Each structure stands twice: as structure tokens, then as C-alpha cells.
Amino acid sequence: MLIAAGALVAGTVAVPPASAAGAGDPAPRPLPPLAWTDCGTKAYPKLQCATLPVPLNHDDPAGRSIRLALTRVPHTAKTFQGPLLVNPGGPGGSGRGMAGYVAASLPAKVAAQYDVIGFDPRGVGKSEPALDCRPGHFDPVRPDSVPRGTEAERTALERAQVFAAACGKKHADLLPYVDTVSAARDLDLIRRAVDAERINYLGYSYGTYLGAVYARLYPERVRRMALDSVVNPHGVWYEDNIAQDYAFDTRHKDFMAWVAKHDGAYRLGADPAAVEAAWYRMREELRDSPADGRVGPGELEDTFLPGGYYDGYWPTLATAFSAYVNEGDPAPLTAAYERYGEADSAADNGYSVYTAVQCRDAPWPRDWNVWRKDTWDVHAKAPFSTWNNAWYNAPCAFWPVEPLTPPDVSNDQLPPVLVLQATDDAATPYEGGLALHRMLHGSSLVVEEGGGNHGVTLAGNDCLDDHLAAYLATGTVPRAEGGAEADAVCAALPAPEPEPKAAKEKTGEKKAAARVLPAGTTLHGLLGHVR
């Protein structure tokens, strides 16, 4: 195995009891005042930017500093409820764009009462230094994600080893400190820098886990906390990824059923099983002849995986699927790959931070035979993206820094936390929302019944948005009657409709036809769909 010599750092996360959380932190060093400067955009003209120095190693606050990139939309109302920190997940997702979006998407009277603050976590985006372990790691065409024989598996495994070794060589000084607990301690420095006794927090996806860890470390510093599309703390991270494999396969089948329902538009058959068979035939053809020389089976999976996060992408994906199968036209498929699946420098950075956090946060099997057996077992039942996901996480089998022990995020010291979860979410399956709800005493669970999107608030569902707005405005949460687990239930948004014919004709062109986009499209672009 390729491990940088001398890079191993053993450790555990020492989390004090909730009643004493934060008391054992080293004496903090003074923070310079934040220098907010105007960095408004056409969409968000009131946006401001700043940078905050934080210790690389929080246990050595006088040591080396790194810098976090922050954004803010300042409050304008006489009533000021403090900072609202927002995080889009990942790990590895850039959060600077979230401040403007959240401030614009909340009811104006609510947003005006908060300083809405976005941030790039350590290692991400404009924060310095930013990680980029191996630029071009996802350049096409990659080997088929499903290994056909020992040699194919060895080639893919060596690729994962090379990535882990590159991280260890390039960022040996940073990797021991790129983890969720360190990021949570950064949040508390943001709190101090904006001179707030407590924070308000809205986190999506991995941001729910980051929020739960922060709350465990500093329960007395939480004022309000809304957690949308929840990571299961019991599965961090190997087991959670296996749960994703099953859930994404189910969601892919939901997409196949939607395509079959709209056979008049896509002409791929009215039987979902037949549509799915056509998709796998397409995958096999691309193995031998990648579309445009760039879209092979792995790239195809990367292109269609975002449809598991957000059904607003289904019409474009279905149009590309149909054009390839029915007309033999690969151009719409290539355009969809460029839009949804192609990796750029931001994706390289995001993946580097993703692996750094997940591989450091918790133990992963170091014996590849465990991965192989588990992956083939799951693939037999859920073939859509299981091997793709295994290779995405495989560097953790060879990571050059020893893992930490994840903290227990159970908590009975918090004000009411609002937990929001769709029942058919693939990226963070429903069981995670239930688990965290049970672990956070006094929390309130709001369920989107039948919803399959990942990230459900501020995405067009008025029922969910009303619960979030009421919570941020007054701190009130719904409470169930009669012992029901969910405190409130909202109906899911309807599935999308096929694109109009004029839009379909433009799908293969880089200049797409103008059309009204679903309400959740902007949010899901910000969430980034990083696994």
C-alpha cells in the first residue's frame, strides 16, 4: 500500500460531557476584527466578504494559522437575532454562495433580523490553504467502475492508492487537522469573531453532522439550529456510504419509472424494467465506445447520479438518454455530462477535502478484501452506483493519517432543534433523520412524505419553508400529538414534467434554451451534490 513514510498521526476525539463542553479548550488567542468589504453580485447586491485567521491545530492556538473565507448579508431590521451560519454540506462544499441565497429565499422580515453568514470550511474554495491532492483525478475516460477481473480491479485500486499517497505527500502538514471536529471548532471562532454569545445555524446534508458535532462541543452556544437532510451519526462513514448505495439505486429506479410514465415524450418504453434495461445497455455500449471520447460508464454514472439528489434534473437527463438510444445521438449526453458530471478545479478541491475529512473522521476497513466482499454483495442488489461509490471512497483504505474516533452527538442540553427530512432521500436516507431526532432531546422532526430530493427547505415546498421561517422568527417548533414520531408532515412537491419540445431541441447545445427552472435548481447547484 502506498503510504507516505512518517505521515501517520494517531488520535481520538476527546469530547467533554455536554454540561462542560468547551471548558477544556486551550486559552483562545485574540481575534482581529473582521474587515467586511463589499463583494455584492447582481443576484445578491448586499453581500459582503471577509477572512478570518484560525489555528491550524486548535490544541495549539499560538501556532500556525490558516484563513477562512466568509460572506455575509447583514441584518437590516431593528430586531436583531444574531448570526445565522449556513453550510451546504459535502464535506468539501463551498459555503460562500449560501449566504446570499438563504437571505434572499427566507421571508424578507425573517432574513432582515439576521446576519446571514456563509463560509468555506478549512481547506475549501477561497479558504487558505485549499487542498488539491491530485488535479485531474477524474479526467475522462476512467476505467469502468465495475471491475471485470483481477487486473481491472488492481488498476482501479492503484488509482485510489495513488490519490491517497498524493494527498499525504502534498498536504502532510494539513491532513491531521482537516476533520469535522476541527471544522466545528472553527465555527466557534466565527461566533467569537462576530461577537455573538450564541449562534443560529442552518445546515444541509453533511452540514447537519457538522452542526450536531458543534452542538455536542458547545451546547450552551447554540441558540437555534435547523438541520435539513440528515447524516446518520451511527454510520459515519463507511456504513453510511453502503446505505447510500441501496438508496441511490432505488432513486434511480424511481427515475426509470418516471421516464416510462412519460413514454410519449421519451419513447423508451412504458415498462420501467424495460427502460432500466435500456439504460444498462447504453452503459455497456459506452464501455466500448465512450461518447465524444469522454463519456464512458463511470462518467455516465457521474452524469446521472445528480438525478438521485434532485428530480429537477430528470427532464434533461431523460432527453439525453432518449437521444442516445433512439437517435444514436451522443451530443445531448455529452452536454449533460458537461453540465452535471464533469469535474473542474473546484470539484478537484471538493473531492480532496471530502476524502480528507471522511478518511480522518472515522475508521475505515484497511483490508481491501472487506471492501471487495461488501461492494459485490451490495452491487448484486443495487448496481447503479455501488462500485462507483466504492472507488470514490477507496482512498480511505490507504489514507496516510490515522483516523479519529467519532464523537457521540447525543445531546440533552440544547434548545429545540428543527430536523427536516424527506422520506425517500437517497444521499441521506430517512433513517438518519430519525436517528438524530432521537439523539437530540427535545428536537422536532418535520417530514416531507414521499419526497426524494436532498435538501428540502428553500427549494419550493411552502409547507417546509413555513416551518423553517416560523422557527427562525420565533423559535417555535411543531409538536406531535398522540405519540407520532414526526412532529409535522408536509406533502412532497410533484414530480417534474418533461421539457417542452423547443427546450429538448437545444439540450445538446452549450447555449441551452431559456426556460423557467424549478424553484430548487439554484439551491441544488449550491449544495453541489458532493457525495
Side-chain angles (χ1 to χ4, degrees):
M1 102 179 71
L2 302 176
I3 295 180
L8 294 179
V9 179
T12 59
V13 178
V15 179
S19 60
D25 287 355
R29 63 180 168 188
L31 292 174
L34 290 175
W36 293 103
T37 60
D38 290 337
C39 58
T41 64
K42 184 176 180 180
Y44 310 122
K46 296 180 180 178
L47 200 65
Q48 300 174 342
C49 293
T51 59
L52 175 67
V54 300
L56 172 63
N57 178 1
H58 283 284
D59 292 331
D60 181 18
R64 177 184 172 185
S65 290
I66 59 175
R67 301 180 73 84
L68 303 181
L70 312 179
T71 56
R72 177 180 75 167
V73 177
H75 74 284
T76 56
K78 291 182 179 179
T79 300
F80 179 45
Q81 301 209 49
L84 173 60
L85 276 62
V86 294
N87 180 272
S94 170
R96 288 177 300 114
M98 288 294 292
Y101 180 81
V102 170
S105 301
L106 287 170
K109 289 183 178 180
V110 177
Q113 297 177 24
Y114 288 94
D115 285 348
V116 183
I117 297 176
F119 59 97
D120 280 353
R122 55 176 52 208
V124 175
K126 295 296 184 181
S127 290
E128 298 175 345
L131 271 61
D132 191 350
C133 297
R134 188 172 182 249
H137 182 71
F138 287 99
D139 286 352
V141 171
R142 306 195 309 274
D144 187 347
S145 56
V146 180
R148 304 191 182 195
T150 303
E151 186 61 32
E153 182 180 341
R154 182 181 298 113
T155 298
L157 194 60
E158 288 175 352
R159 181 172 171 272
Q161 291 174 312
V162 166
F163 184 88
C167 280
K169 182 177 180 180
K170 191 172 184 179
H171 299 301
D173 56 335
L174 301 176
L175 294 186
Y177 310 107
V178 183
D179 59 86
T180 299
V181 169
S182 294
R185 295 173 78 175
D186 288 342
L187 292 186
D188 206 56
L189 293 186
I190 297 174
R191 176 196 63 79
R192 285 180 49 212
V194 299
D195 196 26
E197 291 186 6
R198 295 183 293 167
I199 67 166
N200 307 281
Y201 181 84
L202 170 61
Y204 292 85
S205 190
Y206 163 77
T208 65
Y209 183 63
L210 176 60
V213 171
Y214 179 85
R216 175 64 180 177
L217 291 171
Y218 309 106
E220 75 283 0
R221 298 171 192 170
V222 174
R223 182 174 181 269
R224 290 176 192 158
M225 180 170 284
L227 305 176
D228 182 330
S229 303
V230 177
V231 166
N232 190 337
H234 297 309
V236 173
W237 289 108
Y238 185 75
E239 291 80 6
D240 277 349
N241 275 278
I242 289 176
Q244 279 188 341
D245 295 337
Y246 289 110
F248 272 112
D249 192 82
T250 297
R251 194 67 179 144
H252 187 62
K253 287 180 168 60
D254 291 343
F255 172 49
M256 298 292 100
W258 180 86
V259 173
K261 179 180 178 181
H262 296 287
D263 182 47
Y266 300 115
R267 298 176 294 115
L268 288 162
D271 176 11
V275 175
E276 187 175 22
W279 192 90
Y280 282 102
R281 285 195 300 272
M282 175 176 66
R283 186 190 187 283
E284 184 65 17
E285 291 175 12
L286 292 171
R287 183 175 182 270
D288 297 325
S289 181
D292 193 35
R294 292 187 293 158
V295 184
E299 290 75 25
L300 181 73
E301 291 161 348
D302 294 348
T303 301
F304 279 76
L305 189 69
Y309 286 87
Y310 176 52
D311 62 15
Y313 301 145
W314 286 3
T316 301
L317 294 172
T319 298
F321 180 16
S322 174
Y324 183 89
V325 172
N326 292 318
E327 281 87 46
D329 181 5
L333 186 62
T334 301
Y337 165 67
E338 292 172 349
R339 182 175 178 184
Y340 300 128
E342 191 172 32
D344 56 13
S345 59
D348 285 343
N349 167 243
Y351 179 62
S352 296
V353 177
Y354 171 92
T355 49
V357 172
Q358 293 223 343
C359 301
R360 176 65 166 153
D361 264 3
W364 293 72
R366 288 283 181 161
D367 182 353
W368 182 250
N369 291 322
V370 175
W371 292 67
R372 179 191 296 113
K373 180 183 184 303
D374 288 346
T375 305
W376 278 121
D377 286 349
V378 177
H379 175 85
K381 302 173 184 176
F384 167 56
S385 62
T386 294
W387 268 107
N388 193 317
N389 195 31
W391 296 125
Y392 197 82
N393 290 284
C396 292
F398 313 102
W399 202 243
V401 181
E402 284 296 306
L404 301 168
T405 300
D408 177 4
V409 298
S410 300
N411 209 318
D412 61 1
Q413 301 295 313
L414 298 174
V417 171
L418 187 65
V419 177
L420 305 112
Q421 183 71 42
T423 57
D424 299 335
D425 181 357
T428 52
Y430 182 64
E431 291 74 17
L434 287 177
L436 190 62
H437 172 48
R438 293 165 183 164
M439 296 170 78
L440 301 182
H441 179 76
S443 64
S444 177
L445 175 64
V446 178
V447 171
E448 186 183 48
E449 185 66 42
N453 290 337
H454 180 66
V456 294
T457 56
L458 307 183
N461 189 316
D462 291 341
C463 174
L464 292 165
D465 290 352
D466 286 348
H467 283 294
L468 176 63
Y471 177 65
L472 293 177
T474 67
T476 58
V477 295
R479 292 299 184 194
E481 296 181 359
E485 184 114 45
D487 293 285
V489 177
C490 295
L493 294 173
E497 292 296 322
E499 293 174 341
K501 186 174 187 296
K504 288 184 188 179
E505 292 171 353
K506 294 286 186 178
T507 300
E509 300 180 10
K510 291 187 177 180
K511 292 184 179 179
R515 62 187 186 276
V516 177
L517 296 174
T521 300
T522 301
L523 172 66
H524 288 275
L526 290 168
L527 298 187
H529 311 300
V530 179
R531 284 177 262 183

